[in-house]
Amino acid sequence: MNGRVLRIELRRSAAPWAGLVVVAGALGLLALLDDPWWGGTAPGTSQWTPMALLTRTTLYYVLPLVVGVGALHGMRDARSRTTELLTTTPRPAWSRAMLPAGATAIALVSGFGLLTLWGGVQVFMSGTSYTHLGWLPISLVGVLALVAGAWFGMGVARALPSVLTPPLLVVACLAAIILTQQNADGALPSGAAPNRVSLLSPASPQPREMLLTLTGQVHLGQTLWLLGLLATGFALLVAVGRRARLLALTPVLVGAVLALSVLPAEPRQSYVVDQAAAALVCDGPVCVTRVHREALDEMAPRGEEALRVLRQALGDRAPDSVREETALRGSLDTRKPSADTVLVDFDDPLLAGREGKDLTRYLVAQGLAPNCYARSVRESGTVGDVVTQSVAAGWALGDRALVPLEKATEDAYAKEAWKEGEAAWDSLSVAGPAEQRARIAAMRKESLACSFDGMKALKGGASR
């Protein structure tokens, strides 16, 4: 392609709009989402893999728009009524098609690159010490999906030059993505459609687990499918006649067959824990994953202090280590607490921003009354867990008054829970030392069993 002509194409055609749609549409969508970019269970600006997956999440709505912009660009010759004139020129059809197709690809790569660069700057500014290149395939497949979608839209509009073609393509693409979408409510993303079919969509669900990443099978299968779609789009751009347009559909059909033969059939084969990211880094009895290595400097001394407090409170039954939890768990799934280990979940908003004595208090609370549900969900019972932990931690640390682990909210349920906590604190404070230890032991037994009788035990009403 002539560089001067390409620059003119980038300035005066619809190609730049495709890149603008990617940047503005993606950032606008992320701003509207319920805090997945800035916070949540897997903050997109704190680690590289969640950042790459979150940019792929924007394809749910950005990709159909890109297909529509590509269709509008592909109808340029038909709108100007120059199709017949251009086909009579001696210049090959593929050479003519490369100019708008190449300009569109450059704009889309630049747009998605700017989005990824902005996300990368946020990750860098978050101070993470875990840097790797495992996120690159996720982003590269996202770029390929945008280019393939735009070229397919251009080719279809070139073959079917109608004012209805762009909006129909947008609606069809959006419907296909919605029908094949996966949700991340469980430990592994899954959807209503068969897993292989769902993975044909390049749009990924919002990341729920920081350690979760896509497998090589998924990257390969999606690449084969998107290359077929890309080839079909370009073939439709240069095809002349019905037969040539029918033959142009061959690449996308072959790509779909190859992709379906490669893509995994089960979600557990599609998403895996990044073993390098999940590797434990330890300082004495305190261990965190590699992605949270920077937190170990503060966690290690506070963890050892918390373990000493727990030994004084529980004796031989006290946990002997602090470890970051790496098991996959859906937002509504329970976990099995450990009697020997204080499990730490950095996705717990109760842990966010804690340091010094506040961090020690949190670890003591987790060791005495481990919670069984993800706090980020705030389902029924979670406030009661926090109240129980506050009473137990205050007793172990020798407080004279109840110190809440978090600020009480104004809803009626929370007020009632903290009122009950004050009553349990008063009852526990006036009991004898032996009775206090017995109640704490009973409360911990109930917590390890994932029952909701911990507060009752603190009041002396549970069997010991």
Side-chain angles (χ1 to χ4, degrees):
M1 290 183 291
N2 184 283
R4 179 173 173 272
V5 178
L6 180 61
R7 288 193 295 272
I8 295 175
E9 181 79 15
L10 286 171
R11 288 199 308 268
R12 299 183 180 178
S13 72
W17 287 99
L20 183 62
V21 163
V22 173
V23 177
L27 292 178
L29 177 63
L30 292 173
L32 292 174
L33 291 177
D34 185 19
D35 202 26
W37 185 266
W38 304 109
T41 57
T45 54
S46 63
Q47 296 295 336
W48 292 100
T49 298
M51 182 275 294
L53 287 172
L54 194 54
T55 56
R56 286 272 294 270
T57 301
T58 63
L59 297 186
Y60 276 114
Y61 303 101
V62 171
L63 182 57
L65 295 177
V66 168
V67 172
V69 173
L72 287 173
H73 197 20
M75 290 177 57
R76 180 175 60 178
D77 294 347
R79 289 197 308 269
S80 59
R81 299 180 181 180
T82 59
T83 303
E84 185 177 352
L85 174 64
L86 292 174
T87 55
T88 61
T89 61
R91 189 179 180 187
W94 66 266
S95 180
R96 294 197 308 271
M98 276 302 298
L99 185 62
T104 302
I106 291 173
L108 290 171
V109 171
S110 300
F112 197 80
L114 286 174
L115 176 65
T116 304
L117 177 62
W118 185 83
V121 170
Q122 304 301 315
V123 173
F124 180 78
M125 292 176 62
S126 72
T128 180
S129 59
Y130 180 58
T131 304
H132 63 105
L133 297 178
W135 61 274
L136 269 179
I138 300 174
S139 294
L140 291 176
V141 171
V143 172
L144 179 59
L146 291 172
V147 176
W151 283 19
F152 183 75
M154 294 172 68
V156 172
R158 176 76 166 77
L160 302 172
S162 168
V163 293
L164 296 178
T165 300
L168 287 177
L169 279 176
V170 172
V171 172
C173 183
L174 182 60
I177 290 178
I178 291 175
L179 291 174
T180 59
Q181 71 176 333
Q182 296 180 325
N183 62 73
D185 291 336
L188 296 174
S190 61
N195 192 67
R196 285 192 175 100
V197 177
S198 294
L199 290 174
L200 290 178
S201 170
S204 63
Q206 297 178 33
R208 297 284 185 179
E209 293 281 353
M210 186 170 293
L211 301 177
L212 209 60
T213 188
L214 291 166
T215 64
Q217 277 183 279
V218 175
H219 297 320
L220 177 59
Q222 290 180 339
T223 299
L224 291 172
W225 155 246
L226 293 172
L227 286 176
L229 190 66
L230 184 81
T232 289
F234 189 76
L236 287 173
L237 267 178
V238 303
V240 178
R242 181 177 299 178
R243 184 178 179 182
R245 289 165 183 163
L246 289 176
L247 288 175
L249 299 178
T250 302
V252 71
L253 296 177
V254 173
V257 171
L258 292 176
L260 291 174
S261 66
V262 171
L263 291 171
E266 299 293 335
R268 63 176 175 272
Q269 299 169 335
S270 308
Y271 295 86
V272 294
V273 172
D274 185 342
Q275 296 300 325
L280 293 179
V281 181
C282 300
D283 185 347
V286 181
C287 299
V288 298
T289 60
R290 193 176 173 188
V291 296
H292 291 125
R293 170 63 183 84
E294 64 277 2
L296 188 59
D297 292 340
E298 177 71 15
M299 184 69 70
R302 296 303 171 181
E304 292 181 356
E305 181 181 355
L307 291 176
R308 287 195 296 271
V309 173
L310 290 171
R311 279 195 297 271
Q312 295 173 359
L314 300 174
D316 295 338
R317 292 173 294 180
D320 55 10
S321 62
V322 176
R323 178 175 61 82
E324 181 179 351
E325 186 178 10
T326 58
L328 296 180
R329 190 172 78 253
S331 57
L332 296 176
D333 295 342
T334 61
R335 69 173 179 179
K336 179 62 178 175
S338 172
D340 301 323
T341 303
V342 179
L343 295 177
V344 175
D345 185 358
F346 281 93
D347 293 339
D348 186 349
L350 201 62
L351 175 58
R354 287 188 179 270
E355 56 184 15
K357 294 182 178 179
D358 284 342
L359 179 57
T360 301
R361 180 178 296 275
Y362 170 83
L363 295 174
V364 170
Q366 280 293 330
L368 288 173
N371 63 299
C372 299
Y373 294 91
R375 294 193 195 281
S376 57
V377 181
R378 286 293 175 195
E379 72 260 11
S380 176
T382 303
V383 175
D385 290 341
V386 176
V387 175
T388 301
Q389 290 180 335
S390 299
V391 175
W395 172 83
L397 293 170
D399 295 336
R400 295 185 178 182
L402 178 60
V403 179
L405 282 171
E406 67 175 355
K407 184 179 179 181
T409 58
E410 296 300 322
D411 62 276
Y413 175 77
K415 288 182 177 180
E416 184 63 27
W418 284 107
K419 182 179 179 180
E420 187 178 5
E422 291 285 356
W425 176 264
D426 294 339
S427 175
L428 184 66
S429 299
V430 298
E435 175 66 15
Q436 290 180 358
R437 289 183 176 276
R439 292 187 187 185
I440 291 294
M443 177 274 305
R444 188 164 189 264
K445 180 180 178 182
E446 298 293 345
S447 297
L448 292 173
C450 288
S451 72
F452 295 97
D453 291 330
M455 186 61 66
K456 183 179 178 182
L458 289 175
K459 292 179 179 180
S463 60
R464 285 164 260 154

